[in-house]
């Protein structure tokens, strides 16, 4: 058997995952993706089992709702061929494995440090020595932006190679901040500590990452999740999508100097995040989602308040959007700016909004449904085909309205709240669990492996930004450098979600 197939949030025995010879492992995972646009790599990571390194690869099939998992072992210091040389879906995964474990891929086309994590194998190479791509030409010049930016943007460095104002190449260097999230998940043993850690992976995706962790942990502990918990997580995910998409529309308006749109969309975001404050005491919904319970049950009074909020929101949102999406001056800045082709999106394994604006129907709510998706919510992904800033902005507008309709449907029937009776959460021994959630940016993946005592041995996190930073680098090619801000904001990728 070349792989074992599981479904989202399914726990299996680690020993049931096939261990292949490395060449078979390489060929099998390459073949799973070859000419199969419905499949992509959701996670690929390594763990240290001295004197060997064990690799795990997880390939999702969006048509069958299955996830194919296999593994391989290699010796520390071995030189091996890379999967990336055959398929660029694996590019960042293998760069991380190389950086953290010292695996020498002999034919990887872009084998550079990815994060400069504190636990990297080669600490002699510092972030100041990052090997940027260079073009030796008297006609071209380089422009460096960051890592310190104006405003509140997090640290990251952009190195442009330009011909006059035209961008020919962009290399994005991250790795300026780390909290050691994955190591903290092993170090901290209390469930509340771990729940607090995951909701801080990316501050604008507290619900997305907390839901992935909670779903995973309940599966790992064989806990039957109550309908009320599924309900709370589903409505919270859609509210988080509405809030962040609305704020991003305002950000795009700011980058093209459309002050009215920036002001109105910014104001409209406020009542959504304030509703999280009413519901659970925090505007970013921290503390709301917890494994096995919810400290702030959703009530009929909250439902009434949310209906009133939507009524006021939709009126102003639709009026503002009608203006924004009809002005020739705003359309001129967005249409055919920052294009990512469908071929590029497939090659880099793009997920979430980036994939869907390039004509790829990739959405976990449909392909690997969790919580109430696939049941109460029969999700139909919104897909655009031009891959430009305009597509990314239109997708946000339409997903906001879609999410409001989903919330209204959920409000029609609020499950009865049951106080949890669980007294102890015990994870299974030598188990493997994988959880996928469609956050507002796209696909979130959490993987956990336990040891013989049931303790966490590995906790692997993947934010959608992991895939999509390369899409931004492709999008700006042949654009004017003055268009970079709007391109960047139209993606709104996460620095901390990448660096962990």
């Amino acid at each position: 058997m070349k792989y074992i197939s599981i479904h989202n949030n399914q726990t299996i025995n680690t020993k049931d995952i096939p261990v292949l010879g490395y060449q078979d492992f390489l060929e099998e995972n390459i073949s799973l993706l070859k000419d199969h646009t419905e499949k992509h790599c959701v996670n690929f990571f390594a763990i240290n089992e001295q004197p060997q390194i064990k690799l795990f690869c997880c390939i999702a099939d969006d048509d069958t709702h299955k996830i194919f998992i296999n593994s391989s072992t290699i010796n520390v210091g071995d030189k091996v061929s890379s999967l990336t040389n055959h398929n660029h879906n694996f590019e960042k995964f293998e760069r991380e494995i190389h950086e953290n474990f010292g695996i020498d891929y002999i034919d990887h086309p872009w084998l550079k440090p990815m994060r400069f994590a504190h636990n990297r194998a080669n600490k002699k190479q510092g972030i100041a020595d990052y090997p940027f791509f260079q073009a030796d030409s008297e006609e071209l010049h380089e422009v460096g932006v960051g890592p310190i930016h104006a405003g509140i943007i997090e640290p990251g460095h952009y190195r442009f190679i330009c011909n006059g104002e035209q961008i020919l190449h962009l290399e994005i260097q991250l790795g300026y901040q780390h909290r050691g999230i994955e190591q903290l998940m092993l170090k901290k043993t209390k469930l509340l500590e771990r729940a607090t850690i995951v909701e801080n992976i990316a501050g604008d995706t507290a619900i997305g990452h907390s839901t992935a962790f909670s779903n995973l942990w309940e599966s790992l502990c064989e806990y039957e999740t109550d309908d009320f918990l599924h309900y709370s997580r589903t409505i919270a995910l859609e509210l988080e999508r509405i809030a962040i998409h609305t704020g991003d529309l305002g950000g795009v308006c700011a980058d093209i100097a459309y002050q009215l749109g920036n002001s109105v969309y910014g104001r409209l975001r406020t009542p959504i995040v304030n509703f999280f404050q009413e519901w659970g005491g925090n505007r970013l919904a921290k503390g709301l989602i917890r494994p096995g319970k919810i400290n702030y049950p959703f009530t009929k009074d909250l439902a009434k308040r949310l209906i009133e909020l939507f009524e006021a929101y939709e009126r102003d949102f639709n009026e503002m959007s009608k203006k924004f999406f009809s002005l020739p001056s705003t359309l001129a800045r967005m249409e055919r700016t920052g294009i990512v082709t469908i071929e590029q999106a497939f090659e880099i394994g793009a997920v979430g909004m980036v994939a869907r604006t390039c004509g790829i129907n990739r959405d976990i709510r449909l392909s690997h449904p969790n919580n109430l998706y696939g049941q109460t919510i029969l999700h139909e992904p919104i897909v655009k085909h031009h891959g430009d800033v305009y597509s990314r902005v239109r997708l946000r507008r339409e997903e906001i309205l879609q999410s409001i309709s989903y919330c209204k449907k959920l409000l029609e029937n609020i499950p009865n709240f049951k106080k949890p009776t669980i007294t102890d959460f015990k994870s299974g021994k030598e188990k493997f669990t994988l959880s996928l959630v469609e956050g507002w940016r796209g696909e979130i993946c959490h993987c956990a492996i336990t040891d013989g005592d049931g303790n966490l041995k590995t906790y692997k996190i993947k934010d959608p930004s992991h895939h999509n930073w390369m899409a931004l680098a492709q999008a700006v090619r042949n654009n004017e450098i003055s268009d970079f801000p709007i391109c960047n904001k139209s993606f709104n990728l996460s620095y901390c979600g990448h660096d962990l």
Side-chain angles (χ1 to χ4, degrees):
M1 184 170 64
K2 296 293 183 72
Y3 56 78
I4 185 171
S5 63
I6 67 171
H7 288 94
N8 192 11
N9 298 309
Q10 180 181 346
T11 296
I12 56 174
N13 295 319
T14 307
K15 65 181 180 181
D16 291 338
I17 300 174
V19 182
L20 310 179
Y22 183 77
Q23 190 60 32
D24 287 341
F25 174 80
L26 179 148
E27 292 175 358
E28 178 62 23
N29 288 301
I30 291 170
S31 67
L32 281 172
L33 294 188
K34 187 177 182 181
D35 301 325
H36 294 288
T37 56
E38 75 281 2
K39 297 186 180 71
H40 68 289
C41 181
V42 295
N43 226 330
F44 179 24
F45 60 94
I47 62 174
N48 201 330
E49 293 191 343
Q50 289 287 352
Q52 291 184 313
I53 303 297
K54 190 168 186 179
L55 305 168
F56 290 87
C57 189
C58 311
I59 305 291
D61 186 325
D62 294 341
D63 285 350
T64 65
H65 313 302
K66 294 181 179 179
I67 303 158
F68 307 127
I69 303 171
N70 55 24
S71 66
S72 183
T73 57
I74 55 179
N75 295 315
V76 176
D78 280 358
K79 295 187 176 183
V80 296
S81 298
S82 71
L83 281 70
T84 306
N85 192 44
H86 303 273
N87 190 308
H88 285 177
N89 267 226
F90 302 105
E91 179 255 337
K92 274 194 170 58
F93 294 112
E94 288 191 323
R95 283 175 59 191
E96 181 188 28
I97 292 169
H98 162 73
E99 183 176 29
N100 289 350
F101 297 92
I103 301 302
D104 190 0
Y105 291 107
I106 58 177
D107 53 4
H108 191 289
W110 201 250
L111 198 58
K112 299 183 180 187
M114 182 175 142
R115 290 193 177 112
F116 291 94
H118 301 305
N119 61 340
R120 62 189 184 275
N122 181 10
K123 295 184 180 179
K124 293 180 180 179
Q125 188 175 34
I127 198 165
D129 305 315
Y130 182 87
F132 283 102
F133 177 78
Q134 294 180 318
D136 186 13
S137 170
E138 294 183 357
E139 297 180 358
L140 306 180
H141 66 279
E142 292 185 353
V143 178
V145 178
I148 305 303
H149 303 274
I152 61 171
I153 191 171
E154 295 179 76
H157 183 79
Y158 302 88
R159 184 69 61 89
F160 300 88
I161 296 177
C162 298
N163 182 7
E165 293 296 309
Q166 185 183 32
I167 302 170
L168 301 183
H169 176 78
L170 167 61
E171 187 165 356
I172 303 170
Q173 176 203 357
L174 305 175
Y176 287 92
Q177 60 181 13
H178 300 276
R179 294 146 294 161
I181 294 287
E182 293 170 342
Q183 289 73 43
L184 280 173
M185 291 296 287
L186 307 184
K187 182 180 178 181
K188 302 296 184 181
T189 57
K190 294 180 179 178
L191 186 58
L192 179 59
E193 292 176 322
R194 288 170 172 166
T196 303
I197 289 168
V198 296
E199 68 186 9
N200 286 284
I201 291 169
D204 55 16
T205 317
I207 293 294
H209 281 287
S210 294
T211 299
F213 171 69
S214 297
N215 288 346
L216 179 149
W217 201 256
E218 288 160 1
S219 173
L220 192 61
C221 299
E222 298 183 347
Y223 175 80
E224 187 174 349
T225 308
D226 185 84
D227 287 345
F228 195 87
L229 297 181
H230 286 308
Y231 177 90
S232 301
R233 293 167 194 175
T234 305
I235 199 167
L237 280 166
E238 294 305 321
L239 285 171
E240 185 171 67
R241 190 181 316 278
I242 295 166
I244 304 300
H245 279 355
T246 306
D248 282 355
L249 289 174
V252 168
C253 289
D255 281 336
I256 59 175
Y258 184 43
Q259 188 59 44
L260 177 63
N262 175 241
S263 299
V264 174
Y265 285 127
R267 177 181 65 79
L268 287 172
R269 172 187 172 273
T270 301
I272 305 297
V273 295
N274 283 352
F275 181 79
F276 277 130
Q277 176 86 29
E278 292 182 49
W279 182 2
N282 185 279
R283 298 174 82 235
L284 296 179
K286 292 183 179 182
L288 184 63
I289 305 300
R290 291 287 183 262
K293 66 176 183 178
I294 183 167
N295 295 321
Y296 307 97
F298 195 89
T299 64
K300 291 182 179 179
D301 287 341
L302 284 171
K304 181 181 179 181
R305 173 77 183 94
L306 189 54
I307 288 291
E308 294 171 352
L309 187 157
F310 283 148
E311 183 178 347
Y313 175 99
E314 286 183 280
R315 181 181 62 248
D316 290 351
F317 178 81
N318 288 329
E319 182 179 353
M320 183 65 255
S321 296
K322 184 177 180 180
K323 293 179 182 294
F324 178 47
F325 287 92
S326 61
L327 280 173
S329 58
T330 60
L331 296 177
R333 291 298 309 278
M334 297 187 293
E335 290 180 327
R336 294 184 291 279
T337 300
I339 295 173
V340 181
T341 67
I342 188 172
E343 292 79 13
Q344 290 170 331
F346 272 128
E347 185 174 6
I348 65 178
V351 299
M353 290 192 304
V354 176
R356 294 195 293 277
T357 55
C358 298
I360 302 173
N361 190 359
R362 185 168 288 169
D363 192 316
I364 297 302
R365 291 173 290 177
L366 172 68
S367 59
H368 304 275
N370 54 285
N371 302 111
L372 295 186
Y373 300 109
Q375 300 176 47
T376 305
I377 303 298
L378 300 177
H379 177 59
E380 295 183 8
I382 296 167
V383 180
K384 303 298 179 184
H385 299 275
H386 294 97
D388 57 1
V389 170
Y390 186 52
S391 292
R392 292 186 284 276
V393 172
R394 286 180 63 205
L395 187 81
R396 281 179 168 87
R397 178 189 64 180
E398 293 178 31
E399 284 196 348
I400 287 169
L401 297 175
Q402 183 185 58
S403 292
I404 290 174
S405 70
Y406 288 165
C407 288
K408 287 180 177 179
K409 182 175 179 61
L410 291 168
L411 294 175
E412 293 174 359
N413 185 18
I414 304 173
N416 293 323
F417 171 67
K418 297 179 182 177
K419 190 173 182 178
T421 57
I422 188 168
T423 57
D424 192 16
F425 254 128
K426 289 188 177 180
S427 52
K429 300 177 181 180
E430 296 185 334
K431 299 292 186 179
F432 178 99
T433 305
L434 181 149
S435 178
L436 292 169
V437 167
E438 187 70 21
W440 68 266
R441 271 193 188 93
E443 171 187 299
I444 295 167
C445 181
H446 287 206
C447 290
I449 300 175
T450 59
D451 61 20
D453 295 320
N455 299 317
L456 272 185
K457 180 179 180 180
T458 297
Y459 199 87
K460 190 65 194 151
I461 299 161
K462 187 209 67 180
D463 186 83
S465 300
H466 173 95
H467 297 275
N468 291 343
W469 276 110
M470 183 58 76
L472 172 59
Q474 298 299 312
V476 299
R477 288 188 175 185
N478 299 316
N479 283 253
E480 301 290 306
I481 197 168
S482 58
D483 283 328
F484 172 70
I486 187 178
C487 289
N488 189 24
K489 190 60 186 179
S490 71
F491 286 90
N492 193 13
L493 303 176
S494 177
Y495 298 82
C496 58
H498 178 278
D499 286 351
L500 298 177

